Amino acid sequence: QVQLVETGGGLVQAGGSLRLSCAASGRTFRSYAMGWFRQAPGKERDLVAGISWTGTYTYYTDSVKGRFTISRDNANNTVYLQMNSLKPEDTAVYYCAASTVPWHAIPKTGGEYGSWGQGTQVTVSS
């Protein structure tokens, strides 16, 4: 298990940008697939973006393709989510999660992730 702490959320106007960071503890960070999930009020927690061990493979849900970028720095045990051209519908609590899967895999469901951060609120005003 790894301990995860997200930072970088906040209030931004539509069209603006935010960068979320997720710092992980532990020496095996490079052996985890990482994901960013979000949950809006009254909705399920869904995967927004995911990244494989070395960053070779990435995944984005359709609604954020071309606007969000996931990346990771294994030397510093950190995964990022750069969010550009933000829309009001991006408003949610964003969670970082870690999964022990093979090096090339990116799990798509929350149940496949064993470690979660506490979440950070992102609010996009219109």
Side-chain angles (χ1 to χ4, degrees):
Q1 298 287 352
V2 291
Q3 304 298 316
L4 304 173
V5 178
E6 304 100 332
T7 57
L11 173 64
V12 65
Q13 289 188 330
S17 298
L18 283 174
R19 188 174 83 153
L20 305 183
S21 299
C22 173
S25 65
R27 295 176 294 176
T28 60
F29 174 75
R30 62 174 55 85
S31 299
Y32 287 85
M34 300 298 296
W36 283 99
F37 287 74
R38 68 185 178 188
Q39 186 169 23
K43 295 189 176 181
E44 295 185 351
R45 187 179 301 187
D46 293 321
L47 181 66
V48 174
I51 190 166
S52 60
W53 287 17
T54 60
T56 300
Y57 299 102
T58 57
Y59 164 86
Y60 299 94
T61 194
D62 286 346
S63 62
V64 307
K65 285 180 181 176
R67 300 189 298 122
F68 290 13
T69 303
I70 189 170
S71 61
R72 66 188 298 163
D73 179 353
N74 286 346
N76 290 298
N77 286 11
T78 304
V79 62
Y80 303 98
L81 185 67
Q82 178 66 43
M83 305 185 294
N84 298 328
S85 302
L86 282 161
K87 304 175 181 181
E89 51 264 43
D90 294 317
T91 295
V93 177
Y94 283 71
Y95 298 89
C96 172
S99 178
T100 54
V101 291
W103 70 272
H104 57 281
I106 302 174
K108 305 300 191 297
T109 63
E112 298 176 272
Y113 290 79
S115 299
W116 293 83
Q118 82 288 353
T120 186
Q121 177 70 46
V122 171
T123 303
V124 184
S125 64
S126 58

